[in-house]
Amino acid sequence: MLLTISTTHHPAIDVGYLLHKNPARCQTFDLSFGRAHVFYPEATTQNCTAALLLDVDPVGIVRGPSRFSERLLDQYVNDRPFVASSFLSVAIAQVFGSALQGRSKERPELVDTPLPLVARIAVLPCRGGEAFLRRVFEPLGYALTVAPHPLDETFADWGDSPYFTVELSKTTTLKELLTHLYVLVPVFDHRKHYYVGQAEMENLLAKGEGWLASHPEREAITFRYLKHAPSLARQALAQLAQEDEPEVAALDDEASTGEEDSAEARISLNEERLGTVLAALRASGARRVLDLGCGEGNLVRELMKDKQFDEIIGLDVSIRSLEIAADRLRLDRLPPHQKDRLRLLHGSLMYRDRRLEGFDAAAVVEVIEHLDPPRLAAFERVLFECARPGTIVLTTPNREYNVLWANLAGDAKPAETKGERAAADTVIVSPPLRHKDHRFEWTRAEFRTWAEAVTERFGYTVRFLPVGPEDPALGPPTQMAVFTAVQRCGDGT
Ligand code: SAH
């Protein structure tokens, strides 16, 4: 297994200081799975190439004291000695540890200097092929040369193997290049020689800082990196989602600025909404309830006051909101019999979460409009298919009503003053959304269309209820849907 890193930075040979490896010497390091050699095929002021050659012991990884457990590795004849895999990541961390962490005693100024770098991986196994390679590296700014290898040169019709020679070029810091290789090589290979636990998740978040959260393939990268640990992957993704969505963090300021509240203050819509949601949950007969996107815990507090609800879960993607909720609910001071009824969970509604399965009811209050429209399909499956509570009470703003909020509409006059109080879904004025973090707001017709499609797809029925003072033409400020799961023969729902 060979990795080379080349540069034409002037003087190129200085890369030796960054790698902490003297270009004049060949060095060998003992690792748990074999040996790593570092040497420089060329080292001049114009061009410098450092090579990391891994000598993986194929018998040792099957029989040795550290016995790497994947089934594939139970064979003495395996591809590990020849391909870039998680062994390479370990070698990068151990042999180029200082460079990976961005430390250089002799050339500290070079650490943060972008250098013209080319990394060449002699053989990279890639599940997902060249297309996946490009989807991962190109958004990070790399120019790629990818050469596929045939499965067997003598039998051309067998097609290509999953192995590629890959060359990556980018002007960047050595630290960044090594970090990307460290995280991504095992992602392509999709086999890991070590146990994946909490520490690996933290490692991924640390190494992924600054690039993973906004990467379009972050889900594939995270699930593959945390192989065999989908619940860890979901936790990591929830954390990444928070990093990538400043608007979620900005929500934390809502309480202090009261922006969303003030726009709706005149009728204390918030309270009315809580009351209506609570009534619907009570009426469903639910005892075990979820508050999904619970924010700072307004609904949770009301649920706690009612003995009907004996198990309450509040879930949110924002850790900060959960902390505020825990504080406001005085979680640490509750008597044990109260505390046992409640759990606040960190998680994202974008990913299937087994902790949410088997509940009687779920409230999703003013959350859906915070989700990206292209990701609604994922949310629908997570809620209606996987968590599948018996009752779902979901609220969202009615966009038509926005013209009546003077402080939102600005110059836009309510339609009635123009004598155009026409059918609700033909409102012509298009006032701004109610809150800067809303990705969309639906008219009543749009909400109905969405809700009815969902009921058909997932086997629910739905009824709609207004929340707040209803305008005869524009409807209520908040719209609410109550979904009820249809009992299907034999499925026990
Ligand atoms: N339901 C609460 C909060 C509404 S604000 C109330 O009525 O007071 C929207 C909430 O949805 C925020 O707390 C936000 O952090 C949360 N949220 C946004 N995207 C989410 C996601 N993907 N998964 C879980 N919660 C999310």
Side-chain angles (χ1 to χ4, degrees):
M1 199 320 291
L2 183 67
L3 165 74
T4 58
I5 297 175
S6 310
T7 187
T8 50
H9 171 77
H10 196 82
I13 198 165
D14 272 6
V15 84
Y17 291 114
L18 279 180
L19 289 170
H20 288 244
K21 299 287 171 287
N22 184 343
R25 286 171 47 205
C26 173
Q27 285 174 267
T28 296
F29 304 84
D30 282 323
L31 303 173
S32 59
F33 49 83
R35 292 196 301 173
H37 309 280
V38 178
F39 56 94
Y40 291 73
E42 61 177 346
T44 65
T45 46
Q46 274 75 43
N47 295 296
C48 184
T49 296
L52 172 64
L53 179 74
L54 283 198
D55 191 1
V56 175
D57 172 7
V59 176
I61 60 176
V62 178
R63 300 186 61 183
S66 17
R67 300 251 336 258
F68 304 106
S69 63
E70 281 253 334
R71 256 199 294 148
L72 175 100
L73 304 185
D74 293 347
Q75 309 293 328
Y76 290 162
V77 180
N78 60 58
D79 67 358
R80 301 294 94 177
F82 312 105
V83 305
S85 67
S86 53
F87 290 118
L88 175 62
S89 299
V90 173
I92 288 175
Q94 294 195 1
V95 176
F96 295 144
S98 306
L100 183 63
Q101 282 158 32
R103 284 190 273 114
S104 170
K105 256 191 259 140
E106 272 97 353
R107 294 286 186 280
E109 73 287 356
L110 267 193
V111 167
D112 295 319
T113 308
L115 315 170
L117 295 171
V118 179
R120 185 174 187 278
I121 307 166
V123 185
L124 180 67
C126 181
R127 301 238 323 247
E130 179 172 344
F132 183 60
L133 267 166
R134 291 194 180 278
R135 287 206 307 277
V136 169
F137 278 121
E138 285 176 345
L140 296 169
Y142 289 94
L144 248 73
T145 315
V146 180
H149 294 287
L151 205 52
D152 191 315
E153 277 156 11
T154 44
F155 299 99
D157 53 337
W158 288 5
D160 281 336
S161 70
Y163 300 109
F164 298 84
T165 298
V166 179
E167 220 172 72
L168 304 163
S169 314
K170 183 181 177 186
T171 297
T172 182
T173 61
L174 182 62
K175 176 186 172 192
E176 188 186 73
L177 173 68
L178 289 175
T179 304
H180 288 154
L181 292 174
Y182 175 92
V183 172
L184 297 172
V185 163
V187 162
F188 294 115
D189 178 41
H190 201 31
R191 287 196 182 109
K192 282 213 150 183
H193 72 271
Y194 48 78
Y195 171 74
V196 172
Q198 181 79 20
E200 270 303 281
M201 180 188 95
E202 282 159 19
N203 198 20
L204 173 68
L205 292 173
K207 295 279 191 305
E209 201 185 330
W211 61 273
L212 185 54
S214 56
H215 196 293
E217 288 294 330
R218 72 182 176 192
E219 279 170 43
I221 294 171
T222 305
F223 274 102
R224 284 174 170 224
Y225 188 91
L226 297 169
K227 187 169 160 32
H228 301 315
S231 67
L232 283 180
R234 275 191 299 275
Q235 277 180 48
L237 284 163
Q239 216 141 312
L240 290 169
Q242 223 192 329
E243 257 180 57
D244 188 37
E245 290 172 15
E247 72 280 2
V248 172
L251 278 168
D252 299 336
D253 300 332
E254 252 171 38
S256 44
T257 61
E259 198 181 312
E260 193 158 12
D261 291 347
S262 73
E264 296 180 336
R266 283 177 299 166
I267 47 162
S268 175
L269 184 57
N270 231 335
E271 274 167 39
E272 198 159 340
R273 192 158 48 217
L274 278 184
T276 317
V277 170
L278 204 59
L281 290 173
R282 278 193 193 118
S284 76
R287 308 195 70 85
R288 303 177 62 233
V289 291
L290 301 164
D291 181 9
L292 304 175
C294 64
E296 295 171 3
N298 292 335
L299 178 62
V300 168
R301 191 176 38 228
E302 297 307 313
L303 292 168
M304 289 291 283
K305 288 184 197 157
D306 189 330
K307 290 207 187 80
Q308 173 179 334
F309 306 112
D310 46 36
E311 189 177 345
I312 302 159
I313 286 202
L315 172 129
D316 206 283
V317 76
S318 159
I319 291 182
R320 177 95 198 282
S321 296
L322 290 172
E323 283 168 357
I324 296 173
D327 214 42
R328 288 172 51 184
L329 295 162
R330 300 178 203 282
L331 209 57
D332 53 346
R333 274 170 280 166
L334 285 181
H337 70 279
Q338 288 286 33
K339 206 171 175 173
D340 290 348
R341 291 169 65 212
L342 172 66
R343 267 185 302 155
L344 294 179
L345 302 179
H346 181 222
S348 167
L349 292 168
M350 289 300 148
Y351 307 104
R352 181 178 184 173
D353 191 335
R354 288 193 195 282
R355 298 173 299 178
L356 307 181
E357 289 172 19
F359 280 77
D360 301 325
V364 193
V365 180
E366 306 297 284
V367 174
I368 193 169
E369 65 276 8
H370 291 267
L371 308 178
D372 259 340
R375 312 193 81 203
L376 276 184
F379 161 74
E380 289 159 15
R381 291 197 60 193
V382 167
L383 177 61
F384 291 89
E385 185 180 315
C386 304
R388 203 171 172 78
T391 301
I392 298 170
V393 182
L394 188 145
T395 74
T396 191
N398 164 22
R399 193 179 81 215
E400 298 161 69
Y401 198 89
N402 290 358
V403 288
L404 297 181
W405 298 121
N407 51 347
L408 274 176
D411 290 341
K413 299 270 183 302
E416 69 180 329
T417 63
K418 296 184 188 166
E420 289 171 341
R421 213 151 201 209
D425 23 294
T426 57
V427 170
I428 337 103
V429 201
S430 184
L433 299 185
R434 235 172 260 192
H435 192 262
K436 63 182 185 306
D437 295 323
H438 290 180
R439 298 299 171 96
F440 60 86
E441 281 169 6
W442 277 327
T443 62
R444 283 168 295 168
E446 285 165 339
F447 184 45
R448 252 174 201 279
T449 306
W450 172 79
E452 278 160 5
V454 158
T455 58
E456 277 190 21
R457 202 144 15 104
F458 298 102
Y460 275 79
T461 57
V462 67
R463 63 203 160 86
F464 298 93
L465 291 155
V467 182
E470 223 174 335
D471 179 271
L474 303 169
T478 296
Q479 38 189 349
M480 178 165 113
V482 180
F483 298 88
T484 310
V486 176
Q487 189 95 27
R488 287 192 221 144
C489 278
D491 74 358
T493 49

Short mmCIF file of all heavy atoms in Angstrom, two decimals, residues 245 248 251 254 260 270 273-274 291-296 298 315-318 321 347-350 364-367 370-371, ligand 1:
data_model
loop_
_atom_site.label_atom_id
_atom_site.label_comp_id
_atom_site.label_asym_id
_atom_site.label_seq_id
_atom_site.Cartn_x
_atom_site.Cartn_y
_atom_site.Cartn_z
N GLU A 245 -26.53 24.52 10.60
CA GLU A 245 -27.75 25.30 10.52
C GLU A 245 -27.72 26.40 11.57
O GLU A 245 -28.30 26.28 12.63
CB GLU A 245 -28.96 24.40 10.73
CG GLU A 245 -29.16 23.47 9.56
CD GLU A 245 -30.23 22.42 9.81
OE1 GLU A 245 -31.02 22.58 10.76
OE2 GLU A 245 -30.27 21.45 9.05
N VAL A 248 -30.70 27.27 13.43
CA VAL A 248 -31.17 26.49 14.58
C VAL A 248 -30.56 27.09 15.84
O VAL A 248 -31.24 27.28 16.84
CB VAL A 248 -30.79 25.00 14.42
CG1 VAL A 248 -31.10 24.26 15.71
CG2 VAL A 248 -31.58 24.40 13.27
N LEU A 251 -32.20 30.14 16.82
CA LEU A 251 -33.46 29.96 17.52
C LEU A 251 -33.30 30.15 19.01
O LEU A 251 -34.22 30.54 19.70
CB LEU A 251 -33.97 28.53 17.30
CG LEU A 251 -34.71 28.31 16.00
CD1 LEU A 251 -34.90 26.84 15.79
CD2 LEU A 251 -36.05 29.01 16.09
N GLU A 254 -34.37 33.24 20.22
CA GLU A 254 -35.77 33.60 20.14
C GLU A 254 -36.33 34.01 21.49
O GLU A 254 -37.04 34.99 21.61
CB GLU A 254 -36.58 32.42 19.63
CG GLU A 254 -37.06 32.63 18.23
CD GLU A 254 -37.67 31.37 17.66
OE1 GLU A 254 -38.36 30.65 18.40
OE2 GLU A 254 -37.44 31.12 16.48
N GLU A 260 -40.27 35.80 17.45
CA GLU A 260 -41.38 35.02 16.93
C GLU A 260 -42.62 35.29 17.77
O GLU A 260 -43.72 35.37 17.28
CB GLU A 260 -41.03 33.53 16.91
CG GLU A 260 -42.02 32.72 16.09
CD GLU A 260 -41.44 31.39 15.60
OE1 GLU A 260 -40.37 30.99 16.09
OE2 GLU A 260 -42.06 30.76 14.74
N ASN A 270 -49.22 31.73 21.09
CA ASN A 270 -48.42 30.66 21.66
C ASN A 270 -49.20 29.83 22.67
O ASN A 270 -49.24 28.61 22.61
CB ASN A 270 -47.23 31.30 22.37
CG ASN A 270 -45.96 30.65 21.91
OD1 ASN A 270 -45.98 29.50 21.49
ND2 ASN A 270 -44.87 31.39 22.00
N ARG A 273 -52.07 27.93 21.17
CA ARG A 273 -51.57 26.76 20.44
C ARG A 273 -51.28 25.61 21.41
O ARG A 273 -51.70 24.49 21.19
CB ARG A 273 -50.30 27.16 19.69
CG ARG A 273 -49.85 26.18 18.69
CD ARG A 273 -48.96 26.85 17.66
NE ARG A 273 -47.94 27.69 18.27
CZ ARG A 273 -47.52 28.85 17.77
NH1 ARG A 273 -48.01 29.32 16.66
NH2 ARG A 273 -46.59 29.56 18.39
N LEU A 274 -50.57 25.96 22.47
CA LEU A 274 -50.24 24.93 23.47
C LEU A 274 -51.49 24.27 24.00
O LEU A 274 -51.58 23.04 24.10
CB LEU A 274 -49.48 25.55 24.65
CG LEU A 274 -47.99 25.77 24.48
CD1 LEU A 274 -47.39 26.29 25.77
CD2 LEU A 274 -47.33 24.45 24.10
N ASP A 291 -42.62 14.92 22.37
CA ASP A 291 -42.69 16.30 21.88
C ASP A 291 -41.48 16.47 20.97
O ASP A 291 -40.34 16.61 21.44
CB ASP A 291 -42.68 17.29 23.05
CG ASP A 291 -42.79 18.73 22.56
OD1 ASP A 291 -43.04 18.92 21.35
OD2 ASP A 291 -42.62 19.65 23.38
N LEU A 292 -41.71 16.42 19.67
CA LEU A 292 -40.60 16.40 18.71
C LEU A 292 -40.28 17.82 18.26
O LEU A 292 -41.16 18.52 17.76
CB LEU A 292 -40.97 15.51 17.52
CG LEU A 292 -41.35 14.07 17.92
CD1 LEU A 292 -41.83 13.28 16.71
CD2 LEU A 292 -40.17 13.37 18.60
N GLY A 293 -39.03 18.24 18.45
CA GLY A 293 -38.67 19.65 18.25
C GLY A 293 -39.23 20.43 19.43
O GLY A 293 -39.92 21.42 19.28
N CYS A 294 -38.90 19.95 20.64
CA CYS A 294 -39.54 20.49 21.86
C CYS A 294 -39.03 21.87 22.22
O CYS A 294 -39.61 22.55 23.06
CB CYS A 294 -39.32 19.54 23.02
SG CYS A 294 -37.57 19.38 23.47
N GLY A 295 -37.92 22.30 21.59
CA GLY A 295 -37.39 23.63 21.88
C GLY A 295 -37.08 23.78 23.36
O GLY A 295 -36.47 22.91 23.98
N GLU A 296 -37.55 24.87 23.93
CA GLU A 296 -37.21 25.16 25.33
C GLU A 296 -38.19 24.56 26.32
O GLU A 296 -38.18 24.90 27.50
CB GLU A 296 -37.03 26.66 25.48
CG GLU A 296 -35.85 27.13 24.66
CD GLU A 296 -35.74 28.63 24.58
OE1 GLU A 296 -36.56 29.33 25.22
OE2 GLU A 296 -34.84 29.10 23.87
N ASN A 298 -41.77 24.33 26.39
CA ASN A 298 -43.07 24.89 26.79
C ASN A 298 -44.15 23.82 26.89
O ASN A 298 -44.90 23.77 27.85
CB ASN A 298 -43.52 25.96 25.79
CG ASN A 298 -42.62 27.16 25.85
OD1 ASN A 298 -41.99 27.41 26.89
ND2 ASN A 298 -42.52 27.90 24.76
N LEU A 315 -37.64 15.92 22.36
CA LEU A 315 -36.46 15.74 21.51
C LEU A 315 -36.20 17.01 20.72
O LEU A 315 -37.14 17.65 20.24
CB LEU A 315 -36.69 14.56 20.55
CG LEU A 315 -35.59 14.39 19.49
CD1 LEU A 315 -35.10 12.95 19.48
CD2 LEU A 315 -36.08 14.76 18.09
N ASP A 316 -34.94 17.37 20.61
CA ASP A 316 -34.61 18.54 19.80
C ASP A 316 -33.20 18.39 19.23
O ASP A 316 -32.36 17.68 19.79
CB ASP A 316 -34.70 19.84 20.60
CG ASP A 316 -35.00 21.04 19.71
OD1 ASP A 316 -34.05 21.52 19.03
OD2 ASP A 316 -36.16 21.48 19.66
N VAL A 317 -32.97 19.07 18.11
CA VAL A 317 -31.65 19.02 17.49
C VAL A 317 -30.70 20.03 18.14
O VAL A 317 -29.49 19.93 18.02
CB VAL A 317 -31.77 19.28 15.96
CG1 VAL A 317 -32.00 20.75 15.68
CG2 VAL A 317 -30.57 18.77 15.20
N SER A 318 -31.28 20.99 18.84
CA SER A 318 -30.45 22.04 19.43
C SER A 318 -30.12 21.72 20.89
O SER A 318 -31.01 21.69 21.74
CB SER A 318 -31.18 23.39 19.34
OG SER A 318 -30.66 24.27 20.28
N SER A 321 -31.09 24.54 23.22
CA SER A 321 -32.50 24.58 23.61
C SER A 321 -32.79 23.54 24.68
O SER A 321 -33.54 23.81 25.63
CB SER A 321 -33.40 24.30 22.40
OG SER A 321 -33.26 25.31 21.46
N GLY A 347 -31.46 14.80 19.29
CA GLY A 347 -31.57 14.00 18.07
C GLY A 347 -32.16 14.83 16.95
O GLY A 347 -32.60 15.97 17.18
N SER A 348 -32.15 14.26 15.77
CA SER A 348 -32.68 14.99 14.62
C SER A 348 -33.82 14.20 14.00
O SER A 348 -33.75 12.98 13.87
CB SER A 348 -31.59 15.20 13.58
OG SER A 348 -32.19 15.62 12.38
N LEU A 349 -34.84 14.92 13.60
CA LEU A 349 -36.00 14.28 12.97
C LEU A 349 -35.71 13.85 11.54
O LEU A 349 -36.59 13.38 10.83
CB LEU A 349 -37.18 15.24 13.00
CG LEU A 349 -37.70 15.49 14.41
CD1 LEU A 349 -38.67 16.64 14.45
CD2 LEU A 349 -38.36 14.22 14.94
N MET A 350 -34.48 14.04 11.12
CA MET A 350 -34.10 13.65 9.76
C MET A 350 -33.65 12.19 9.72
O MET A 350 -33.44 11.64 8.66
CB MET A 350 -32.93 14.51 9.27
CG MET A 350 -33.32 15.91 9.00
SD MET A 350 -34.57 15.87 7.74
CE MET A 350 -35.50 17.26 8.20
N VAL A 364 -45.76 17.76 17.18
CA VAL A 364 -44.71 18.38 16.36
C VAL A 364 -45.16 19.82 16.15
O VAL A 364 -45.84 20.15 15.18
CB VAL A 364 -44.55 17.64 15.01
CG1 VAL A 364 -43.26 18.08 14.32
CG2 VAL A 364 -44.57 16.14 15.20
N VAL A 365 -44.81 20.67 17.09
CA VAL A 365 -45.40 22.00 17.16
C VAL A 365 -44.45 23.04 16.58
O VAL A 365 -43.37 23.27 17.13
CB VAL A 365 -45.76 22.34 18.63
CG1 VAL A 365 -46.36 23.72 18.74
CG2 VAL A 365 -46.71 21.29 19.18
N GLU A 366 -44.87 23.64 15.47
CA GLU A 366 -44.10 24.71 14.83
C GLU A 366 -42.67 24.26 14.52
O GLU A 366 -41.72 24.99 14.78
CB GLU A 366 -44.10 25.97 15.71
CG GLU A 366 -45.49 26.46 16.10
CD GLU A 366 -46.35 26.90 14.92
OE1 GLU A 366 -46.14 27.99 14.37
OE2 GLU A 366 -47.24 26.11 14.55
N VAL A 367 -42.54 23.08 13.97
CA VAL A 367 -41.23 22.53 13.65
C VAL A 367 -41.06 22.32 12.15
O VAL A 367 -40.03 22.65 11.56
CB VAL A 367 -41.00 21.19 14.40
CG1 VAL A 367 -39.70 20.54 13.95
CG2 VAL A 367 -40.98 21.42 15.90
N HIS A 370 -39.36 24.59 9.78
CA HIS A 370 -37.92 24.81 9.95
C HIS A 370 -37.10 23.82 9.13
O HIS A 370 -35.87 23.89 9.11
CB HIS A 370 -37.52 24.67 11.43
CG HIS A 370 -38.05 25.76 12.30
ND1 HIS A 370 -37.33 26.89 12.60
CD2 HIS A 370 -39.24 25.91 12.93
CE1 HIS A 370 -38.05 27.69 13.38
NE2 HIS A 370 -39.22 27.11 13.59
N LEU A 371 -37.77 22.85 8.49
CA LEU A 371 -37.04 21.81 7.77
C LEU A 371 -36.91 22.18 6.31
O LEU A 371 -37.80 22.78 5.73
CB LEU A 371 -37.77 20.47 7.92
CG LEU A 371 -38.13 20.05 9.36
CD1 LEU A 371 -38.88 18.73 9.35
CD2 LEU A 371 -36.88 19.92 10.22
N1 SAH B 1 -42.03 23.05 19.60
C1 SAH B 1 -41.41 24.16 20.26
C2 SAH B 1 -40.26 24.80 19.46
C3 SAH B 1 -40.60 25.29 18.08
S1 SAH B 1 -39.20 26.08 17.28
C4 SAH B 1 -42.44 25.21 20.61
O1 SAH B 1 -43.54 25.18 20.06
O2 SAH B 1 -42.14 26.06 21.42
C5 SAH B 1 -38.61 24.74 16.25
C6 SAH B 1 -37.78 23.72 16.99
O3 SAH B 1 -37.49 22.67 16.11
C7 SAH B 1 -36.44 24.26 17.48
O4 SAH B 1 -36.28 23.99 18.84
C8 SAH B 1 -35.43 23.52 16.63
O5 SAH B 1 -34.20 23.29 17.30
C9 SAH B 1 -36.16 22.24 16.32
N2 SAH B 1 -35.68 21.56 15.13
C10 SAH B 1 -35.37 22.11 13.91
N3 SAH B 1 -34.95 21.15 13.07
C11 SAH B 1 -34.99 19.98 13.76
C12 SAH B 1 -34.65 18.63 13.45
N4 SAH B 1 -34.20 18.30 12.25
N5 SAH B 1 -34.81 17.70 14.40
C13 SAH B 1 -35.27 18.02 15.64
N6 SAH B 1 -35.60 19.27 15.99
C14 SAH B 1 -35.46 20.25 15.07
#
